[in-house]
Amino acid sequence: MNQPTSNSRKKIGLALGSGALKGIAHIGVIKVLEKNHIPIDFIAGSSIGALVGALYAANPDSKALEKIVLATDLKRSLGLLDPGFKKGLLRGKK
């Protein structure tokens, strides 16, 4: 029987969903994957999931990601939103 090579393993994608501040729980999922040595080959996300995924893709270290999120002033960050349902959530005026 042939032994699988490192290039023949299945690729793993992680899809992170939306959910406002609840999306920070995605960091816990990433920590469990790291702890169990499960590689993440692809990341996709929407809303907060896209933000968490982008931060992790830029620096694949869940502990560093957790520090960034905990140090972020979420109230100030949410103040950057400019809600308006006729023209989208971000009008670009803030």
Side-chain angles (χ1 to χ4, degrees):
M1 183 184 300
N2 292 336
Q3 291 291 333
T5 65
S6 62
N7 292 334
S8 67
R9 74 168 177 77
K10 300 263 184 185
K11 300 289 184 183
I12 297 172
L14 180 63
L16 304 174
S18 59
L21 296 179
K22 292 182 219 170
I24 295 172
H26 294 317
I27 298 169
V29 172
I30 293 170
K31 287 172 78 171
V32 170
L33 292 172
E34 282 183 350
K35 181 179 177 183
N36 290 288
H37 308 288
I38 299 171
I40 301 170
D41 299 302
F42 310 100
I43 300 177
S46 66
S47 193
I48 190 70
L51 181 59
V52 170
L55 289 171
Y56 185 74
N59 181 20
D61 178 357
S62 63
K63 289 180 183 178
L65 177 59
E66 188 173 35
K67 284 181 184 178
I68 290 169
V69 170
L70 292 175
T72 301
D73 183 348
L74 296 174
K75 195 173 191 179
R76 185 171 181 222
S77 297
L78 291 174
L80 297 174
L81 293 177
D82 192 11
F85 295 105
K86 290 184 180 181
K87 296 183 180 181
L89 290 179
L90 299 175
R91 293 185 197 147
K93 292 184 179 181
K94 285 192 173 183

